[in-house]
Amino acid sequence: MNFYLKAQSAPPIFFSLTLSFILHFLLVIMVITLPSKSSKEKERAIPIRIHIEEELSSPTTEEVSVIEGKGDIDSKSTTPETKNRSLRSQDYTDIIEERLHAIKAKKRIEKIVKLRAEIKRDGSATGRSLLPRPEISSGTGSYAKEAGGKEKSIEDYRHIIERIIHSNWTYPEMARKGLKGSAVIFIKRDGALEIRELNSSGDRLFDYSMRNSLLKSSLPPPPEEMEVEVRFSE
Amino acid sequence: MRYLFCFLSFLCFFLFADGERDRLVHGRVFIDLNEPSVRPLFLGIQLHAPEPEAKRYSKELLTVIADDLTYTGLFSIIDERLFLEPSHAFFKPENWRPLGADAVVKIKISLSQNTIKALSSIYDVNEGLQIFKKEYSGDINLLRTLAHVLARDIYKKFTDREPPFEAKLLYIGQLDGKKSLFIMDWDGARLRRLGIRAETIISPRWSEEDRLLAYTTREGLKWAIKVVDFNTMTQKTLFEQKSLTIAGDFIDRKNLLITYTDMDNQDIYILDTETSKIKRLIGAYGIEIDPVVSSDKKRLLFVSDRSGSPQVYMAELSGYNIKRLTYRGSYNTSPRWSPAGDSFVYVGTVNGKNQIFLQRFYSEPLQLTHEGNNEEPSFSPDGRFIAFSSDRDGLWKIYIMRLDGSGQKALTKGYGFSPIWIK
């Protein structure tokens, strides 16, 4: 929800987001605070809450980390429970919990099946990593708090990850020279790196070196989630 | 009613929130990287031969694969003494990351009668995934061929290019005081001789699409151009002359470029391989020799002394648009096209010795050899290696090197001259 607070670019976007937020918020308040006339109405309210919970509790990290350390999945699943408790009676809490766990389990299974199918198909698999994300030690978060503003901390962070990725970028001496390529990555709150796009250089070995440099890099948590375009040129 | 309101509000939220994505694109952070660290791909190769009969072939198979891949300069094979994972165990990336491995190849071999079977699986350590799996089988006598094929597929997986691992080298060798033609693997193994002998043999030329070999002999006073059809292993004498005549490249099955002497002057002619008739293509006041055709059959390179000294020239296949290409040195000969047609090699004299140069069009030439005399360079089919002859050891032998001049090594123990590549 904090994107609204740091909209720096196009004012029209900021305006539309704020408007949307306000409208939405008002409607939700309406629904929640209006007195429930019957149990039938009560039941109707619950689907909305699950809808919200689903949105908050199924971030993209889960998609990637299905076969990774259980830590990711487990830690995420505790969040909706706390929210549930404050809202309705214990019965409804239980139903919601069950539904959430079922949804998560289903997603996990779907992901495993999908990856297995990809591996079987031609002995090769597409980009997603199965490696456990390395534990990111805390002692960060200082980026957001630094005096000098958000701009400076993003720039500092950019500089740091540039060095990390560069140090992991290797390429054979005898390989083709003069190549260029790029990749778009998304850095999550915990520093986990997701490769979203790889713009080929036209040479498989070079593309391989780009991808590897990103896969080998373990980044500290960023001041904010960000999309980064990394341009490689030999 | 309430539910409907909330549902609609959600729609609105997402419609407006799409602007969020635009913001991210506008707010994207950029990183520019140049100059990666130099490092080949680190490869772990494991051979698993559960049956003892198959085990004794493991070493040779592994050596051929490792040597092929290492010689390209793109791979470094990890010493198996460092391996943490036994060859029969399933791949686990955490067993390989500490070794700095980029990929692992696990090959399982088995033997049944005279057939050897191999199952090759390649794993990407950084992704933690299997990326390749293929089964192979072949006669045990073709073990080295199997090894080259396995190595080829590994190479192709990472580079998407064809390596020259399965190619052969044909060259002029010596036998009992006469010359003969020999063929060996690109790594110097499995040497065989063709049943051809002559007092002098020079200039072997190969046509890959028709599988024809042209070569030139001199017996007594006669020069002859002969063609061997490798499809039938039969030979024909196309042309004979008392004065010097040398086979050049094939334009196609029917037309062979030759150097022909007319009144003490050498010029480039086209020889009709069916009628043995000749037609002049390029001739001037001076000497024109050694014609070679580009892969796309559009241009040719040759040597001419029309400027006063032998230099390399280029022309269209029609014989028109003649352009001089070499300006350094006073004696430049033996030009050969790269398969891509974007560069050529030639032999230039430096301090009284012959050396091999690589020249990209519109660039300065690069000297690749420095020791002894080095002649008759020939590009591998993939354009990344050059075979040549060198007398640096006191005896003419066949050598090979990488495109940048690195990795120079002898392939023959005995006499060898004028290597050409055969796929």
Side-chain angles (χ1 to χ4, degrees):
Chain A
M1 300 289 256
N2 57 350
F3 357 84
Y4 308 106
L5 304 175
K6 46 176 173 65
Q8 297 149 332
S9 50
I13 296 168
F14 174 61
F15 175 73
S16 66
L17 278 173
T18 325
L19 181 67
S20 155
F21 171 65
I22 292 167
L23 281 172
H24 184 211
F25 188 70
L26 285 173
L27 281 163
V28 166
I29 297 293
M30 241 174 56
V31 165
I32 291 169
T33 54
L34 276 175
S36 54
K37 295 263 161 69
S38 63
S39 60
K40 193 168 172 228
E41 278 191 26
K42 250 200 239 170
E43 282 181 53
R44 249 188 269 137
I46 294 168
I48 296 161
R49 220 163 292 120
I50 290 177
H51 212 13
I52 301 166
E53 301 306 344
E54 258 196 76
E55 191 213 344
L56 289 176
S57 64
S58 58
T60 46
T61 34
E62 194 178 336
E63 287 289 314
V64 175
S65 63
V66 165
I67 302 175
E68 292 174 17
K70 297 224 186 330
D72 281 349
I73 297 168
D74 286 351
S75 60
K76 296 275 186 290
S77 66
T78 54
T79 336
E81 288 174 31
T82 37
K83 286 215 174 0
N84 277 333
R85 242 186 289 120
S86 60
L87 294 166
R88 288 284 154 172
S89 73
Q90 200 53 39
D91 291 338
Y92 293 131
T93 313
D94 290 344
I95 295 169
I96 290 162
E97 273 184 50
E98 266 184 51
R99 287 188 187 164
L100 283 168
H101 285 302
I103 291 163
K104 282 197 183 17
K106 182 166 171 262
K107 280 192 181 170
R108 218 178 299 153
I109 291 167
E110 279 170 8
K111 181 66 183 173
I112 292 171
V113 166
K114 186 172 156 228
L115 281 170
R116 281 215 186 114
E118 282 176 8
I119 290 171
K120 271 206 187 106
R121 208 187 303 127
D122 54 4
S124 65
T126 51
R128 296 302 173 92
S129 172
L130 296 177
L131 297 175
R133 291 279 170 226
E135 291 303 312
I136 306 295
S137 56
S138 48
T140 50
S142 57
Y143 299 111
K145 296 177 193 145
E146 231 185 53
K150 199 54 65 81
E151 298 286 347
K152 184 174 190 301
S153 67
I154 290 179
E155 180 49 37
D156 286 344
Y157 184 73
R158 192 197 72 84
H159 190 65
I160 286 168
I161 65 170
E162 182 178 66
R163 268 193 324 169
I164 295 174
I165 298 172
H166 196 197
S167 71
N168 287 320
W169 186 30
T170 66
Y171 191 61
E173 171 76 56
M174 291 308 305
R176 260 181 72 190
K177 305 270 191 302
L179 297 163
K180 280 193 200 345
S182 67
V184 175
I185 61 174
F186 186 72
I187 306 175
K188 302 196 187 105
R189 277 182 220 111
D190 61 352
L193 185 162
E194 184 189 305
I195 302 177
R196 286 208 168 151
E197 246 178 72
L198 197 77
N199 298 311
S200 175
S201 60
D203 182 272
R204 188 178 287 189
L205 207 56
F206 191 84
D207 290 351
Y208 190 75
S209 78
M210 290 196 290
R211 225 188 58 228
N212 277 352
S213 73
L214 299 167
L215 290 171
K216 285 180 185 167
S217 299
S218 69
L219 308 177
E224 62 189 35
E225 291 199 329
M226 57 171 72
E227 203 172 63
V228 181
E229 181 170 334
V230 188
R231 300 189 283 223
F232 299 81
S233 93
E234 200 281 324
Chain B
M1 197 54 204
R2 235 177 287 174
Y3 184 80
L4 182 63
F5 261 123
C6 290
F7 181 68
L8 286 173
S9 87
F10 258 107
L11 281 183
C12 293
F13 172 75
F14 281 115
L15 282 171
F16 285 120
D18 198 57
E20 171 62 9
R21 214 199 304 156
D22 284 320
R23 190 205 78 87
L24 282 179
V25 172
H26 289 140
R28 184 184 278 184
V29 173
F30 288 92
I31 287 178
D32 284 291
L33 302 177
N34 313 311
E35 291 183 33
S37 325
V38 170
R39 180 185 179 273
L41 286 184
F42 274 37
L43 203 63
I45 307 180
Q46 275 187 321
L47 232 73
H48 176 45
E51 305 142 14
E53 320 89 69
K55 234 189 187 56
R56 59 194 162 107
Y57 299 108
S58 302
K59 193 160 189 286
E60 190 175 5
L61 205 61
L62 196 58
T63 307
V64 174
I65 297 171
D67 286 352
D68 276 358
L69 293 171
T70 307
Y71 191 67
T72 65
L74 299 177
F75 299 90
S76 176
I77 310 299
I78 301 171
D79 189 327
E80 59 192 8
R81 287 170 294 182
L82 299 172
F83 291 173
L84 300 170
E85 189 174 273
S87 59
H88 57 83
F90 280 118
F91 168 76
K92 284 211 190 97
E94 53 266 30
N95 289 335
W96 298 96
R97 256 179 267 128
L99 308 180
D102 290 299
V104 174
V105 184
K106 284 182 182 269
I107 303 171
K108 181 167 173 212
I109 59 172
S110 61
L111 197 62
S112 124
Q113 313 278 48
N114 275 334
T115 304
I116 180 163
K117 281 202 168 79
L119 175 65
S120 176
S121 307
I122 307 177
Y123 301 87
D124 184 320
V125 175
N126 297 305
E127 289 263 40
L129 299 170
Q130 180 172 26
I131 56 173
F132 178 89
K133 188 173 172 183
K134 194 168 176 184
E135 265 192 61
Y136 308 77
S137 71
D139 193 293
I140 190 62
N141 295 316
L142 297 177
L143 183 69
R144 287 188 85 92
T145 307
L146 174 65
H148 289 304
V149 169
L150 283 161
R152 173 200 77 199
D153 283 345
I154 297 167
Y155 182 90
K156 274 187 83 161
K157 186 67 198 167
F158 293 101
T159 65
D160 200 24
R161 288 171 196 283
E162 288 287 343
F165 304 154
E166 297 164 273
K168 314 254 186 255
L169 284 162
L170 182 145
Y171 65 93
I172 302 165
Q174 251 167 0
L175 184 73
D176 302 333
K178 287 206 171 194
K179 298 287 193 294
S180 188
L181 291 174
F182 292 76
I183 295 184
M184 59 184 177
D185 289 353
W186 92 299
D187 55 7
R190 296 193 290 184
L191 185 61
R192 283 155 296 181
R193 193 177 70 82
L194 289 185
I196 286 165
R197 284 178 74 195
E199 204 179 283
T200 301
I201 300 180
I202 58 171
S203 192
R205 301 298 175 110
W206 177 249
S207 159
E208 190 59 54
E209 56 266 26
D210 296 307
R211 297 194 69 76
L212 296 172
L213 173 74
Y215 66 98
T216 305
T217 61
R218 193 181 80 169
E219 297 269 34
L221 293 173
K222 260 203 315 225
W223 288 91
I225 292 176
K226 302 190 186 196
V227 167
V228 180
D229 186 334
F230 268 51
N231 300 307
T232 58
M233 278 325 235
T234 55
Q235 174 172 272
K236 214 166 57 159
T237 300
L238 284 188
F239 193 76
E240 276 177 318
Q241 204 192 2
K242 280 228 181 79
S243 39
L244 180 68
T245 185
I246 310 174
D249 272 358
F250 282 93
I251 296 174
D252 53 44
R253 185 175 195 97
K254 199 167 157 6
N255 298 287
L256 181 72
L257 285 165
I258 65 168
T259 298
Y260 176 77
T261 306
D262 182 23
M263 316 258 269
D264 283 341
N265 187 30
Q266 277 80 38
D267 286 328
I268 293 166
Y269 283 68
I270 298 179
L271 170 67
D272 186 313
T273 60
E274 283 161 18
T275 64
S276 292
K277 287 197 162 38
I278 60 171
K279 199 173 66 174
R280 195 165 83 167
L281 181 67
I282 296 175
Y285 314 110
I287 292 170
E288 268 79 30
I289 62 168
D290 214 353
V292 283
V293 182
S294 60
S295 309
D296 63 3
K297 311 278 189 196
K298 291 195 175 136
R299 293 164 293 166
L300 61 109
L301 295 173
F302 62 97
V303 179
S304 170
D305 71 347
R306 59 184 63 189
S307 70
S309 66
Q311 299 291 345
V312 176
Y313 287 76
M314 178 167 75
E316 281 167 30
L317 203 58
S318 59
Y320 290 104
N321 251 326
I322 295 176
K323 256 197 290 242
R324 179 172 164 179
L325 296 181
T326 54
Y327 289 90
R328 292 250 183 115
S330 57
Y331 208 99
N332 295 313
T333 59
S334 241
R336 296 290 182 264
W337 285 98
S338 68
D342 58 355
S343 55
F344 64 99
V345 279
Y346 67 93
V347 178
T349 309
V350 176
N351 296 332
K353 293 225 187 267
N354 291 329
Q355 304 299 350
I356 295 169
F357 289 79
L358 170 70
Q359 184 164 331
R360 293 190 196 284
F361 286 106
Y362 315 118
S363 273
E364 289 302 303
L366 177 68
Q367 186 173 342
L368 299 182
T369 60
H370 297 84
E371 264 185 84
N373 285 299
N374 300 277
E375 299 179 20
E376 306 287 303
S378 173
F379 269 99
S380 62
D382 66 323
R384 301 182 86 105
F385 303 92
I386 296 166
F388 60 103
S389 325
S390 179
D391 71 352
R392 61 185 70 177
D393 261 356
L395 168 73
W396 283 106
K397 290 184 193 171
I398 305 298
Y399 278 71
I400 191 171
M401 61 181 165
R402 290 186 282 259
L403 189 60
D404 64 349
S406 64
Q408 295 185 21
K409 62 174 182 178
L411 294 179
T412 61
K413 291 200 180 62
Y415 178 88
F417 202 76
S418 225
I420 58 170
W421 293 79
I422 291 182
K423 276 206 263 193

